[in-house]
Amino acid sequence: MKKLHITIVLLLAAFTAMAQPAALEVFSDGEPFQVSIDGKVINHKPKTSVTEYDITAEHIRVLVTLPNQNNLKIKQPIMVRPGKLMKVLVKQKNNGKWITRYQGEAPLPQKKATQEPVETETVTVDNTSTTQTGEQVSINTNMNSDGETGNVTATVTDPETGETVSVNANINDSDVNMTVTESSSSTTTTTTGGNMIGNTTVTINTSSTESNTTNTGEETTQTTTGCQPMGSTDFNSAKNSISSKTFEDSKITTAKQIIKANCLRADQIKQIMEVMDYEDSRLEIAKFAYQYCFDPNNYYKINDAFEYELTIDDLNEYIEAQ
């Protein structure tokens, strides 16, 4: 039986509504401050504790301003984890310098309701369009007003053969269950766990019934945008390549080549640093690798690779200057 060779690209804007937001808490031991997130001022009046809810961006840049310290400004990049409360501490070091320190995350607290709950209603949107190749694309969005449940259905019809491919995404809280069905009775089912933020592009090539699912170890996703952490097999091979070099300069050069060409987790960067023989070399790698880190929120883990506190302070000052 002839199979339908069509690539479906679904812009599921409805996923924006069901994306579970995050929150950010910035606090100090008594020093008042102002907070801006991606250029937006959160509190005009200086406070010692500020919490911002409903953050949906994948990465944010936090700017803390200290009015009592000649309007000193401190930058802190944050990688947002949906459904979590991210915590940042504003503190003064023993040498008098003011810094911000990422303090980890906690379950997202319930935001106090500002109004009485309303009954849930269903909103349905239908869109039909034709691609440049003549394929008829129909997208139906059926979302409840709670923003957490509903479904999105898309159907693509081949104008020559009449065969169709249907994609149905059932949304339940933060999970997305996706089923792909061809009129030739060939079916691929994919379950996407976790949160999908923003306009998400799902691409499925129906010429193969093999699942296009990627397992990251923590959650399973159908599509991935941006960089992905280096797999354990490739990483171990890369680390062995660095270790095999006789001279420290050669180790550093090889490490930088690998880091630049891949996306690494903080713990992987730490392992590469531990291959180096000298503290200065480890610091050089730590600074170079920061921009290629998949989870910069966990960059504190690499501090264990250093022998001296001064080196940690040096790295932190470098990161704050970014």
Side-chain angles (χ1 to χ4, degrees):
M1 182 179 293
K2 180 181 178 182
K3 298 192 66 178
L4 181 60
H5 295 270
I6 300 177
T7 298
I8 307 173
V9 179
L10 305 179
L11 298 179
L12 302 183
F15 285 172
T16 303
M18 54 74 63
Q20 190 175 6
L24 172 70
E25 178 185 2
V26 183
F27 60 96
S28 71
D29 293 332
E31 182 70 21
F33 56 82
Q34 294 172 304
V35 175
S36 297
I37 298 178
D38 292 334
K40 176 186 176 182
V41 178
I42 305 304
N43 63 306
H44 291 277
K45 182 179 179 180
K47 298 181 179 180
T48 59
S49 180
V50 177
T51 301
E52 175 70 1
Y53 293 88
D54 300 327
I55 298 175
T56 57
E58 190 172 347
H59 297 272
I60 61 175
R61 289 196 171 273
V62 179
L63 177 65
V64 176
T65 303
L66 305 177
N68 294 340
Q69 306 298 326
N70 295 323
N71 286 324
L72 176 66
K73 299 183 184 298
I74 310 173
K75 298 179 181 179
Q76 174 75 54
I78 298 288
M79 180 177 179
V80 175
R81 286 177 56 84
K84 298 294 184 180
L85 172 67
M86 326 302 291
K87 298 184 177 183
V88 172
L89 171 65
V90 181
K91 61 175 293 186
Q92 186 176 30
K93 296 171 60 177
N94 294 333
N95 61 7
K97 182 177 181 179
W98 285 91
I99 61 171
T100 56
R101 283 284 172 84
Y102 180 74
Q103 299 294 297
E105 59 190 45
L108 187 66
Q110 292 293 328
K111 184 179 180 182
K112 294 182 179 179
T114 57
Q115 59 184 18
E116 294 295 323
V118 297
E119 294 184 0
T120 300
E121 62 178 340
T122 300
V123 179
T124 302
V125 178
D126 292 290
N127 291 299
T128 302
S129 61
T130 303
T131 67
Q132 292 181 350
T133 58
E135 298 159 355
Q136 295 293 320
V137 181
S138 176
I139 299 178
N140 173 272
T141 302
N142 187 346
M143 293 292 296
N144 290 331
S145 60
D146 59 7
E148 296 182 349
T149 58
N151 63 75
V152 178
T153 303
T155 302
V156 176
T157 303
D158 189 327
E160 296 182 358
T161 65
E163 293 186 2
T164 62
V165 175
S166 297
V167 179
N168 183 63
N170 293 313
I171 303 164
N172 182 15
D173 193 14
S174 61
D175 291 329
V176 180
N177 298 315
M178 187 175 296
T179 303
V180 183
T181 306
E182 296 182 44
S183 58
S184 57
S185 300
S186 178
T187 304
T188 299
T189 302
T190 302
T191 298
T192 301
N195 301 281
M196 303 182 74
I197 300 175
N199 293 334
T200 303
T201 301
V202 179
T203 302
I204 303 171
N205 192 323
T206 62
S207 61
S208 172
T209 59
E210 182 179 356
S211 176
N212 197 27
T213 303
T214 301
N215 193 328
T216 63
E218 296 181 355
E219 56 183 302
T220 303
T221 57
Q222 170 67 27
T223 56
T224 304
T225 58
C227 74
Q228 283 297 302
M230 197 174 186
S232 58
T233 301
D234 291 338
F235 175 72
N236 289 333
S237 176
K239 190 171 68 170
N240 290 335
S241 176
I242 299 171
S243 301
S244 67
K245 303 299 182 289
T246 303
F247 301 105
E248 189 82 347
D249 288 346
S250 298
K251 291 182 179 180
I252 293 175
T253 300
T254 304
K256 287 183 176 181
Q257 289 174 342
I258 293 170
I259 293 169
K260 189 174 182 179
N262 297 277
C263 191
L264 303 178
R265 299 191 308 270
D267 62 292
Q268 292 175 324
I269 295 172
K270 176 176 175 287
Q271 293 181 55
I272 290 178
M273 291 166 58
E274 290 172 340
V275 175
M276 304 300 156
D277 298 321
Y278 305 108
E279 186 89 346
D280 289 345
S281 301
R282 295 170 187 166
L283 178 60
E284 182 177 348
I285 293 299
K287 290 180 178 180
F288 180 82
Y290 180 70
Q291 62 179 315
Y292 301 101
C293 183
F294 174 76
D295 54 342
N297 285 353
N298 293 324
Y299 219 63
Y300 66 91
K301 294 181 178 180
I302 73 170
N303 292 342
D304 294 336
F306 295 125
E307 296 181 12
Y308 307 109
E309 292 290 336
L310 288 176
T311 311
I312 298 176
D313 291 341
D314 191 340
L315 174 62
N316 189 62
E317 290 177 2
Y318 171 82
I319 292 175
E320 291 176 357
Q322 299 306 300

